[in-house]
Amino acid sequence: MALLGFVMLLCILGAQASIDLRNAAAMAAGLCNTKPTDVVFIIDSSRSVRPAEFEQVKVFLTKVIDGLNVGPDATRVGVVNYASRVKNEISLKSHKTKAALVKAVSKIEPLSTGTMTGLAIQFAMNVAFSEAEGARKSPDISKVAIIVTDGRPQDNIQNIAAKAREAGIEIFATGVGRVDMTTLRQMASEPLEDHVDYVESYSLIEKLTKKFQEAFCAVVSDLCATGDHDCEHICISTPGSFKCACREGHTLQGDGRSCSACSNAAIDVVFLIDGSKSVRPENFELVKKWINMIIDKLDVSETNTHVGLVQYSSTVKQEFPLGRYNNKKALKEAVKKMDYMERGTMTGQALNFIVENSFSPSQGARPGVAKVGIVFTDGRSQDYIGDAARKAKENGFKMYAVGVGNAVEDELKEIASEPVVDHYFYTADFKTMNQIAKKLQINVCQEEDPCECNSLVKFQKKVEEALQALTKKLEAVTKRIAALENKIV
């Protein structure tokens, strides 16, 4: 029995050393048709927007348009250009093809005066969204305004934006650089977390393209066919929805999405969270919700998954070590209580901390248990990350890198374990982090049958067979010894 236990222990530890992260398939190009919509871009070209930056805005418009189903009976697009005055650059009725629309956008020139955002919204409501300019009256046709601005309005926007929303116009407010966040919220439709966006510079505005393409995406009938699901193994289509299933020998987990080849795998998971000032307080709350979404999918218990949390900025702070909380309720409450640090972004120092401290036995790490680090950041590190990132992987830790907004994808890839494509994620917007939480599947059991140990019954049977064979050999040796003794006698 001691031999049986030893063999079983070796095999279980071998299984725990491998972590499978599902690489969720992206939505196939062209399978998502945009809902018929009247879209008007309201773009700020005041003197604070430099010519090169205005070109970047036009590239952003072009990329959003490229993802739309443009046509007279599909999506119609207009563009309003404003500064101290307002210019109707493109009417909703002007162009019936995507190519003509993109060409017209390329010819728009900046006005380079003041910032009369309220005047521009008034113009859009009274003129751009009028039937005379090509807007449709049908209740099935949504009206959407996308405002892009980088400054504080020189006129009142709160009342006019409220009137526009009351008129049925859904307003997205996108701010750049030193924009006034209060006015963005006054302009945008509810819920604000879906309608207010911010980027630090015009060079980053393209990262919002996907967000707007998805906002206009129609609900498709077969979510499995488009890949717009988060099933780890098998997706089964149902009317307007889907359900998940697992391959033979695997069990569907409590989240209804992930699959496990064994029932009691242990794992030590440490979250390393960027709390620098660029994150902003409202986004830090979204990060905490994202952490708890992942925790909901883990098998947290005294014997299975343990979770630790580290926050960093210019310094590193251990919020709580591995093993302090052994149930999801207590763990999630502790995450909610994490205070925002602000200040700088010393990612290298933070990585070194989890390598030297968080995954040590003195901080609750368990010998022989798989170690997983989940690193979140929204910006470029202010120190060197290479040595610490390499050491984490050399120590056998599985490292996942998650970036938002201004995060540098080369740094994310340097942090992530191999294969890199399976271990790093990026999104332009904090409000879409929940999609990463759905895709990030942590499972310490290999899908194939490593050392044929997915079932303890199999192990026991093989060991028993080996013992039986050994017993037969011993019996044969005993008989030979007895025969020799008889000859001697």
Side-chain angles (χ1 to χ4, degrees):
M1 289 303 294
L3 176 61
L4 171 61
F6 178 70
V7 173
M8 288 166 57
L9 177 61
L10 286 178
C11 207
I12 291 170
L13 292 176
Q16 289 170 348
S18 174
I19 300 173
D20 174 53
L21 179 67
R22 179 178 63 87
N23 183 21
M27 185 176 291
L31 289 176
C32 178
N33 291 324
T34 53
K35 298 172 284 188
T37 308
D38 289 343
V39 181
V40 173
F41 290 91
I42 304 173
I43 55 174
D44 176 0
S45 67
S46 58
R47 65 175 63 92
S48 61
V49 183
R50 298 175 181 177
E53 293 172 335
F54 191 71
E55 291 302 310
Q56 290 169 330
V57 174
K58 292 196 292 183
V59 171
F60 165 66
L61 265 61
T62 299
K63 290 194 173 183
V64 174
I65 291 167
D66 191 53
L68 303 178
N69 183 24
V70 174
D73 299 320
T75 296
R76 299 182 185 182
V77 177
V79 180
V80 171
N81 185 11
Y82 79 95
S84 294
R85 62 188 179 91
V86 181
K87 184 179 180 183
N88 198 23
E89 298 282 0
I90 301 172
S91 296
L92 290 168
K93 65 180 181 181
S94 296
H95 302 288
K96 298 179 180 179
T97 67
K98 192 179 296 185
L101 189 57
V102 168
K103 186 175 180 180
V105 168
S106 70
K107 294 180 179 180
I108 300 174
E109 297 292 334
L111 301 174
S112 300
T113 50
T115 311
M116 301 295 285
T117 310
L119 182 66
I121 297 172
Q122 178 83 54
F123 181 91
M125 182 173 61
N126 295 341
V127 180
F129 282 111
S130 68
E131 287 186 71
E133 294 299 316
R136 292 164 284 184
K137 262 192 168 182
S138 170
D140 296 328
I141 307 297
S142 301
K143 290 179 173 56
V144 175
I146 301 175
I147 303 171
V148 180
T149 181
D150 78 335
R152 183 187 296 273
Q154 295 171 331
D155 57 354
N156 182 277
I157 56 96
Q158 188 168 6
N159 293 336
I160 189 60
K163 288 180 181 179
R165 295 192 300 268
E166 289 170 6
I169 300 172
E170 183 179 8
I171 300 176
F172 290 86
T174 301
V176 182
R178 299 180 66 179
V179 70
D180 179 51
M181 294 299 296
T182 300
T183 56
L184 290 183
R185 296 187 185 98
Q186 289 174 349
M187 289 188 284
S189 297
E190 295 284 351
L192 294 179
E193 58 266 25
D194 293 337
H195 292 84
V196 176
D197 292 284
Y198 171 81
V199 290
E200 289 191 344
S201 68
Y202 280 101
S203 63
L204 300 170
I205 196 168
E206 284 183 54
K207 293 184 176 182
L208 296 176
T209 300
K210 184 179 178 183
K211 178 254 177 82
F212 285 107
Q213 288 176 343
E214 291 176 349
F216 299 129
C217 183
V219 177
V220 292
S221 57
D222 191 346
L223 298 176
C224 293
T226 64
D228 190 25
H229 64 85
D230 52 354
C231 296
E232 185 174 5
H233 283 183
I234 301 167
C235 178
I236 302 171
S237 293
T238 60
S241 186
F242 66 91
K243 62 181 181 179
C244 301
C246 299
R247 293 192 286 271
E248 185 177 355
H250 296 73
T251 303
L252 190 66
Q253 298 301 286
D255 61 4
R257 301 288 189 266
S258 56
C259 301
S260 177
C262 55
S263 59
N264 58 350
I267 183 171
D268 286 344
V269 179
V270 174
F271 288 90
L272 181 60
I273 302 300
D274 180 354
S276 60
K277 61 183 177 184
S278 60
V279 174
R280 296 181 176 233
E282 62 272 23
N283 290 330
F284 194 70
E285 293 303 310
L286 295 176
V287 173
K288 292 195 284 186
K289 290 180 181 178
W290 172 78
I291 295 170
N292 281 340
M293 285 182 69
I294 296 176
I295 288 172
D296 275 332
K297 298 163 64 173
L298 300 175
D299 185 14
V300 178
S301 69
E302 188 171 349
T303 57
N304 293 349
T305 301
H306 288 188
V307 176
L309 178 61
V310 175
Q311 185 187 172
Y312 75 96
S313 57
S314 298
T315 58
V316 183
K317 178 184 179 184
Q318 179 169 267
E319 300 290 344
F320 53 82
L322 288 162
R324 175 172 292 178
Y325 305 104
N326 292 322
N327 64 80
K328 290 182 183 179
K329 183 178 180 181
L331 192 55
K332 290 166 69 176
E333 284 299 318
V335 172
K336 290 177 183 178
K337 292 177 182 177
M338 177 171 56
D339 293 326
Y340 178 37
M341 292 176 70
E342 299 192 69
R343 296 186 293 172
T345 311
M346 303 295 283
T347 309
Q349 179 181 326
L351 284 167
N352 193 63
F353 180 89
I354 67 168
V355 170
E356 300 294 337
N357 296 279
S358 300
F359 284 123
S360 66
S362 63
Q363 296 301 316
R366 295 167 290 177
V369 171
K371 308 291 189 297
V372 174
I374 302 176
V375 182
F376 162 81
T377 181
D378 86 322
R380 182 184 297 274
S381 178
Q382 295 172 334
D383 62 351
Y384 180 62
I385 68 167
D387 290 342
R390 183 175 60 255
K391 190 172 182 181
K393 289 175 280 190
E394 288 175 351
N395 285 0
F397 308 153
K398 278 287 186 183
M399 300 298 294
Y400 297 107
V402 178
V404 176
N406 297 330
V408 179
E409 294 191 51
D410 285 346
E411 290 187 353
L412 297 178
K413 292 175 182 178
E414 190 169 6
I415 294 168
S417 292
E418 294 289 346
V420 171
V421 68
D422 292 343
H423 294 86
Y424 97 98
F425 301 86
Y426 173 82
T427 182
D429 192 346
F430 279 89
K431 293 187 283 295
T432 57
M433 286 182 68
N434 61 331
Q435 297 302 316
I436 292 177
K438 291 177 181 178
K439 294 175 184 178
L440 205 157
Q441 304 281 357
I442 298 176
N443 180 0
V444 300
C445 299
Q446 294 180 347
E447 289 191 359
E448 302 304 324
D449 194 5
C451 66
E452 294 184 39
C453 60
N454 286 337
S455 168
L456 295 181
V457 175
K458 286 184 180 180
F459 291 130
Q460 185 171 357
K461 183 177 180 180
K462 283 191 172 292
V463 172
E464 287 174 350
E465 289 173 352
L467 290 173
Q468 288 174 359
L470 182 60
T471 300
K472 288 181 180 179
K473 289 182 179 180
L474 290 173
E475 289 175 350
V477 170
T478 302
K479 289 180 180 178
R480 290 183 65 184
I481 293 173
L484 288 172
E485 287 177 344
N486 290 333
K487 288 182 179 180
I488 292 171
V489 174

